[in-house]
PDB file of all heavy atoms in Angstrom:
ATOM      1  N   GLN A 444      -2.344 -14.608 -48.143  1.00 95.00           N
ATOM      2  CA  GLN A 444      -3.711 -14.436 -48.397  1.00 95.00           C
ATOM      3  C   GLN A 444      -4.457 -15.049 -47.304  1.00 95.00           C
ATOM      4  O   GLN A 444      -4.571 -16.142 -47.081  1.00 95.00           O
ATOM      5  CB  GLN A 444      -4.179 -15.068 -49.706  1.00 95.00           C
ATOM      6  CG  GLN A 444      -5.655 -14.872 -50.057  1.00 95.00           C
ATOM      7  CD  GLN A 444      -6.137 -15.672 -51.266  1.00 95.00           C
ATOM      8  OE1 GLN A 444      -5.637 -16.708 -51.403  1.00 95.00           O
ATOM      9  NE2 GLN A 444      -7.012 -15.113 -51.958  1.00 95.00           N
ATOM     10  N   VAL A 445      -5.091 -14.138 -46.452  1.00 95.00           N
ATOM     11  CA  VAL A 445      -5.728 -14.537 -45.146  1.00 95.00           C
ATOM     12  C   VAL A 445      -7.241 -14.575 -45.520  1.00 95.00           C
ATOM     13  O   VAL A 445      -7.881 -13.537 -45.831  1.00 95.00           O
ATOM     14  CB  VAL A 445      -5.388 -13.736 -44.005  1.00 95.00           C
ATOM     15  CG1 VAL A 445      -5.826 -14.306 -42.681  1.00 95.00           C
ATOM     16  CG2 VAL A 445      -3.963 -13.348 -43.935  1.00 95.00           C
ATOM     17  N   LEU A 446      -7.861 -15.803 -45.148  1.00 94.00           N
ATOM     18  CA  LEU A 446      -9.276 -15.946 -45.424  1.00 94.00           C
ATOM     19  C   LEU A 446     -10.008 -16.451 -44.204  1.00 94.00           C
ATOM     20  O   LEU A 446      -9.538 -17.311 -43.652  1.00 94.00           O
ATOM     21  CB  LEU A 446      -9.469 -16.914 -46.709  1.00 94.00           C
ATOM     22  CG  LEU A 446      -8.833 -16.519 -48.083  1.00 94.00           C
ATOM     23  CD1 LEU A 446      -8.931 -17.694 -48.948  1.00 94.00           C
ATOM     24  CD2 LEU A 446      -9.454 -15.216 -48.450  1.00 94.00           C
ATOM     25  N   PRO A 447     -11.256 -15.867 -43.922  1.00 92.00           N
ATOM     26  CA  PRO A 447     -12.001 -16.302 -42.753  1.00 92.00           C
ATOM     27  C   PRO A 447     -12.961 -17.372 -43.331  1.00 92.00           C
ATOM     28  O   PRO A 447     -13.319 -17.583 -44.480  1.00 92.00           O
ATOM     29  CB  PRO A 447     -12.789 -15.054 -42.399  1.00 92.00           C
ATOM     30  CG  PRO A 447     -13.014 -14.363 -43.694  1.00 92.00           C
ATOM     31  CD  PRO A 447     -11.780 -14.601 -44.536  1.00 92.00           C
ATOM     32  N   LEU A 448     -13.323 -18.272 -42.301  1.00 90.00           N
ATOM     33  CA  LEU A 448     -14.447 -19.260 -42.613  1.00 90.00           C
ATOM     34  C   LEU A 448     -15.291 -19.529 -41.479  1.00 90.00           C
ATOM     35  O   LEU A 448     -14.682 -20.064 -40.471  1.00 90.00           O
ATOM     36  CB  LEU A 448     -13.731 -20.640 -43.104  1.00 90.00           C
ATOM     37  CG  LEU A 448     -14.742 -21.737 -43.507  1.00 90.00           C
ATOM     38  CD1 LEU A 448     -15.690 -21.380 -44.631  1.00 90.00           C
ATOM     39  CD2 LEU A 448     -13.959 -22.952 -43.783  1.00 90.00           C
ATOM     40  N   TYR A 449     -16.554 -19.083 -41.434  1.00 86.00           N
ATOM     41  CA  TYR A 449     -17.478 -19.276 -40.475  1.00 86.00           C
ATOM     42  C   TYR A 449     -18.944 -19.489 -41.038  1.00 86.00           C
ATOM     43  O   TYR A 449     -19.251 -18.992 -42.212  1.00 86.00           O
ATOM     44  CB  TYR A 449     -17.463 -18.316 -39.374  1.00 86.00           C
ATOM     45  CG  TYR A 449     -17.296 -16.869 -39.764  1.00 86.00           C
ATOM     46  CD1 TYR A 449     -18.491 -16.183 -39.949  1.00 86.00           C
ATOM     47  CD2 TYR A 449     -16.123 -16.189 -39.940  1.00 86.00           C
ATOM     48  CE1 TYR A 449     -18.469 -14.871 -40.347  1.00 86.00           C
ATOM     49  CE2 TYR A 449     -16.074 -14.852 -40.294  1.00 86.00           C
ATOM     50  CZ  TYR A 449     -17.321 -14.255 -40.461  1.00 86.00           C
ATOM     51  OH  TYR A 449     -17.176 -12.885 -40.900  1.00 86.00           O
ATOM     52  N   ALA A 450     -19.808 -19.954 -40.346  1.00 75.00           N
ATOM     53  CA  ALA A 450     -21.148 -20.276 -40.903  1.00 75.00           C
ATOM     54  C   ALA A 450     -21.905 -19.035 -41.490  1.00 75.00           C
ATOM     55  O   ALA A 450     -22.559 -19.192 -42.560  1.00 75.00           O
ATOM     56  CB  ALA A 450     -22.028 -20.938 -39.814  1.00 75.00           C
ATOM     57  N   SER A 451     -21.815 -17.876 -40.784  1.00 72.00           N
ATOM     58  CA  SER A 451     -22.735 -16.735 -41.275  1.00 72.00           C
ATOM     59  C   SER A 451     -21.884 -15.969 -42.339  1.00 72.00           C
ATOM     60  O   SER A 451     -22.541 -15.009 -42.910  1.00 72.00           O
ATOM     61  CB  SER A 451     -23.129 -15.873 -40.095  1.00 72.00           C
ATOM     62  OG  SER A 451     -21.899 -15.338 -39.481  1.00 72.00           O
ATOM     63  N   LEU A 452     -20.704 -16.397 -42.724  1.00 76.00           N
ATOM     64  CA  LEU A 452     -20.034 -15.669 -43.770  1.00 76.00           C
ATOM     65  C   LEU A 452     -20.870 -15.795 -45.183  1.00 76.00           C
ATOM     66  O   LEU A 452     -21.381 -16.902 -45.421  1.00 76.00           O
ATOM     67  CB  LEU A 452     -18.617 -16.186 -43.928  1.00 76.00           C
ATOM     68  CG  LEU A 452     -17.610 -15.411 -44.713  1.00 76.00           C
ATOM     69  CD1 LEU A 452     -17.251 -14.123 -43.932  1.00 76.00           C
ATOM     70  CD2 LEU A 452     -16.390 -16.233 -44.906  1.00 76.00           C
ATOM     71  N   PRO A 453     -20.955 -14.788 -45.953  1.00 69.00           N
ATOM     72  CA  PRO A 453     -21.550 -14.889 -47.286  1.00 69.00           C
ATOM     73  C   PRO A 453     -20.985 -15.953 -48.056  1.00 69.00           C
ATOM     74  O   PRO A 453     -19.861 -16.236 -48.040  1.00 69.00           O
ATOM     75  CB  PRO A 453     -21.451 -13.582 -47.853  1.00 69.00           C
ATOM     76  CG  PRO A 453     -21.096 -12.614 -46.725  1.00 69.00           C
ATOM     77  CD  PRO A 453     -20.565 -13.413 -45.730  1.00 69.00           C
ATOM     78  N   PRO A 454     -21.729 -16.808 -48.982  1.00 64.00           N
ATOM     79  CA  PRO A 454     -21.311 -17.854 -49.664  1.00 64.00           C
ATOM     80  C   PRO A 454     -20.108 -17.481 -50.636  1.00 64.00           C
ATOM     81  O   PRO A 454     -19.275 -18.282 -50.950  1.00 64.00           O
ATOM     82  CB  PRO A 454     -22.469 -18.311 -50.439  1.00 64.00           C
ATOM     83  CG  PRO A 454     -23.500 -17.351 -50.301  1.00 64.00           C
ATOM     84  CD  PRO A 454     -23.268 -16.528 -49.096  1.00 64.00           C
ATOM     85  N   SER A 455     -20.299 -16.259 -51.156  1.00 71.00           N
ATOM     86  CA  SER A 455     -19.183 -15.927 -52.169  1.00 71.00           C
ATOM     87  C   SER A 455     -17.816 -15.785 -51.488  1.00 71.00           C
ATOM     88  O   SER A 455     -16.761 -16.075 -52.089  1.00 71.00           O
ATOM     89  CB  SER A 455     -19.587 -14.488 -52.662  1.00 71.00           C
ATOM     90  OG  SER A 455     -19.641 -13.462 -51.739  1.00 71.00           O
ATOM     91  N   MET A 456     -17.863 -15.336 -50.179  1.00 79.00           N
ATOM     92  CA  MET A 456     -16.555 -15.299 -49.369  1.00 79.00           C
ATOM     93  C   MET A 456     -16.155 -16.686 -48.857  1.00 79.00           C
ATOM     94  O   MET A 456     -15.040 -16.813 -48.810  1.00 79.00           O
ATOM     95  CB  MET A 456     -16.819 -14.252 -48.239  1.00 79.00           C
ATOM     96  CG  MET A 456     -16.968 -12.882 -48.705  1.00 79.00           C
ATOM     97  SD  MET A 456     -17.098 -11.771 -47.335  1.00 79.00           S
ATOM     98  CE  MET A 456     -15.462 -11.811 -46.623  1.00 79.00           C
ATOM     99  N   GLN A 457     -17.095 -17.582 -48.531  1.00 80.00           N
ATOM    100  CA  GLN A 457     -16.752 -18.849 -48.103  1.00 80.00           C
ATOM    101  C   GLN A 457     -16.070 -19.525 -49.329  1.00 80.00           C
ATOM    102  O   GLN A 457     -15.104 -20.273 -49.044  1.00 80.00           O
ATOM    103  CB  GLN A 457     -18.042 -19.578 -47.788  1.00 80.00           C
ATOM    104  CG  GLN A 457     -18.599 -19.189 -46.317  1.00 80.00           C
ATOM    105  CD  GLN A 457     -19.745 -20.024 -46.069  1.00 80.00           C
ATOM    106  OE1 GLN A 457     -20.379 -20.884 -46.895  1.00 80.00           O
ATOM    107  NE2 GLN A 457     -20.333 -19.955 -44.849  1.00 80.00           N
ATOM    108  N   MET A 458     -16.542 -19.475 -50.538  1.00 78.00           N
ATOM    109  CA  MET A 458     -16.009 -20.091 -51.640  1.00 78.00           C
ATOM    110  C   MET A 458     -14.543 -19.751 -51.978  1.00 78.00           C
ATOM    111  O   MET A 458     -13.886 -20.541 -52.640  1.00 78.00           O
ATOM    112  CB  MET A 458     -16.856 -19.987 -52.855  1.00 78.00           C
ATOM    113  CG  MET A 458     -18.312 -20.505 -52.648  1.00 78.00           C
ATOM    114  SD  MET A 458     -18.325 -22.249 -52.223  1.00 78.00           S
ATOM    115  CE  MET A 458     -17.668 -23.011 -53.644  1.00 78.00           C
ATOM    116  N   LYS A 459     -14.136 -18.601 -51.504  1.00 88.00           N
ATOM    117  CA  LYS A 459     -12.729 -18.156 -51.851  1.00 88.00           C
ATOM    118  C   LYS A 459     -11.667 -19.289 -51.205  1.00 88.00           C
ATOM    119  O   LYS A 459     -10.571 -19.329 -51.690  1.00 88.00           O
ATOM    120  CB  LYS A 459     -12.453 -16.857 -51.249  1.00 88.00           C
ATOM    121  CG  LYS A 459     -13.246 -15.717 -51.983  1.00 88.00           C
ATOM    122  CD  LYS A 459     -12.957 -14.374 -51.280  1.00 88.00           C
ATOM    123  CE  LYS A 459     -13.583 -13.203 -52.023  1.00 88.00           C
ATOM    124  NZ  LYS A 459     -13.206 -11.818 -51.483  1.00 88.00           N
ATOM    125  N   ILE A 460     -12.110 -19.867 -50.194  1.00 89.00           N
ATOM    126  CA  ILE A 460     -11.047 -20.888 -49.509  1.00 89.00           C
ATOM    127  C   ILE A 460     -10.637 -21.964 -50.481  1.00 89.00           C
ATOM    128  O   ILE A 460      -9.655 -22.694 -50.285  1.00 89.00           O
ATOM    129  CB  ILE A 460     -11.561 -21.499 -48.150  1.00 89.00           C
ATOM    130  CG1 ILE A 460     -12.818 -22.349 -48.385  1.00 89.00           C
ATOM    131  CG2 ILE A 460     -11.937 -20.289 -47.243  1.00 89.00           C
ATOM    132  CD1 ILE A 460     -13.244 -23.085 -47.232  1.00 89.00           C
ATOM    133  N   PHE A 461     -11.508 -22.343 -51.447  1.00 86.00           N
ATOM    134  CA  PHE A 461     -11.200 -23.389 -52.394  1.00 86.00           C
ATOM    135  C   PHE A 461     -10.415 -22.912 -53.591  1.00 86.00           C
ATOM    136  O   PHE A 461      -9.918 -23.766 -54.287  1.00 86.00           O
ATOM    137  CB  PHE A 461     -12.615 -23.999 -52.798  1.00 86.00           C
ATOM    138  CG  PHE A 461     -13.476 -24.603 -51.771  1.00 86.00           C
ATOM    139  CD1 PHE A 461     -14.496 -23.979 -51.431  1.00 86.00           C
ATOM    140  CD2 PHE A 461     -13.155 -25.781 -51.181  1.00 86.00           C
ATOM    141  CE1 PHE A 461     -15.442 -24.410 -50.304  1.00 86.00           C
ATOM    142  CE2 PHE A 461     -13.898 -26.214 -50.128  1.00 86.00           C
ATOM    143  CZ  PHE A 461     -15.071 -25.654 -49.727  1.00 86.00           C
ATOM    144  N   ASN A 462     -10.259 -21.686 -53.716  1.00 90.00           N
ATOM    145  CA  ASN A 462      -9.332 -21.283 -54.828  1.00 90.00           C
ATOM    146  C   ASN A 462      -7.851 -21.288 -54.453  1.00 90.00           C
ATOM    147  O   ASN A 462      -7.531 -21.008 -53.309  1.00 90.00           O
ATOM    148  CB  ASN A 462      -9.861 -19.789 -55.304  1.00 90.00           C
ATOM    149  CG  ASN A 462     -11.146 -19.780 -55.719  1.00 90.00           C
ATOM    150  OD1 ASN A 462     -11.823 -20.718 -56.273  1.00 90.00           O
ATOM    151  ND2 ASN A 462     -11.769 -18.776 -55.499  1.00 90.00           N
ATOM    152  N   PRO A 463      -6.883 -21.584 -55.425  1.00 91.00           N
ATOM    153  CA  PRO A 463      -5.508 -21.485 -55.147  1.00 91.00           C
ATOM    154  C   PRO A 463      -5.176 -20.164 -54.723  1.00 91.00           C
ATOM    155  O   PRO A 463      -5.673 -19.153 -55.200  1.00 91.00           O
ATOM    156  CB  PRO A 463      -4.937 -22.025 -56.316  1.00 91.00           C
ATOM    157  CG  PRO A 463      -5.991 -22.680 -57.232  1.00 91.00           C
ATOM    158  CD  PRO A 463      -7.206 -21.986 -56.743  1.00 91.00           C
ATOM    159  N   ALA A 464      -4.168 -20.004 -53.918  1.00 91.00           N
ATOM    160  CA  ALA A 464      -3.634 -18.699 -53.480  1.00 91.00           C
ATOM    161  C   ALA A 464      -2.969 -18.053 -54.765  1.00 91.00           C
ATOM    162  O   ALA A 464      -2.394 -18.751 -55.644  1.00 91.00           O
ATOM    163  CB  ALA A 464      -2.723 -18.754 -52.303  1.00 91.00           C
ATOM    164  N   PRO A 465      -2.985 -16.691 -54.939  1.00 91.00           N
ATOM    165  CA  PRO A 465      -2.158 -16.116 -55.919  1.00 91.00           C
ATOM    166  C   PRO A 465      -0.788 -16.474 -55.935  1.00 91.00           C
ATOM    167  O   PRO A 465      -0.221 -16.825 -54.993  1.00 91.00           O
ATOM    168  CB  PRO A 465      -2.366 -14.493 -55.732  1.00 91.00           C
ATOM    169  CG  PRO A 465      -3.604 -14.387 -54.806  1.00 91.00           C
ATOM    170  CD  PRO A 465      -3.551 -15.768 -53.958  1.00 91.00           C
ATOM    171  N   ARG A 466      -0.231 -16.479 -57.187  1.00 91.00           N
ATOM    172  CA  ARG A 466       1.239 -16.978 -57.299  1.00 91.00           C
ATOM    173  C   ARG A 466       2.131 -16.167 -56.190  1.00 91.00           C
ATOM    174  O   ARG A 466       2.124 -15.082 -56.156  1.00 91.00           O
ATOM    175  CB  ARG A 466       1.696 -16.706 -58.653  1.00 91.00           C
ATOM    176  CG  ARG A 466       3.168 -17.253 -58.976  1.00 91.00           C
ATOM    177  CD  ARG A 466       3.328 -16.991 -60.401  1.00 91.00           C
ATOM    178  NE  ARG A 466       4.716 -17.633 -60.807  1.00 91.00           N
ATOM    179  CZ  ARG A 466       4.946 -18.904 -61.126  1.00 91.00           C
ATOM    180  NH1 ARG A 466       3.916 -19.771 -61.192  1.00 91.00           N
ATOM    181  NH2 ARG A 466       6.223 -19.301 -61.397  1.00 91.00           N
TER     182      ARG A 466
END
Side-chain angles (χ1 to χ4, degrees):
Q444 182 189 32
V445 195
L446 299 172
L448 179 63
Y449 47 86
S451 61
L452 196 68
S455 59
M456 295 182 69
Q457 287 183 349
M458 296 307 293
K459 288 181 179 180
I460 67 170
F461 298 105
N462 300 326
R466 187 176 180 85

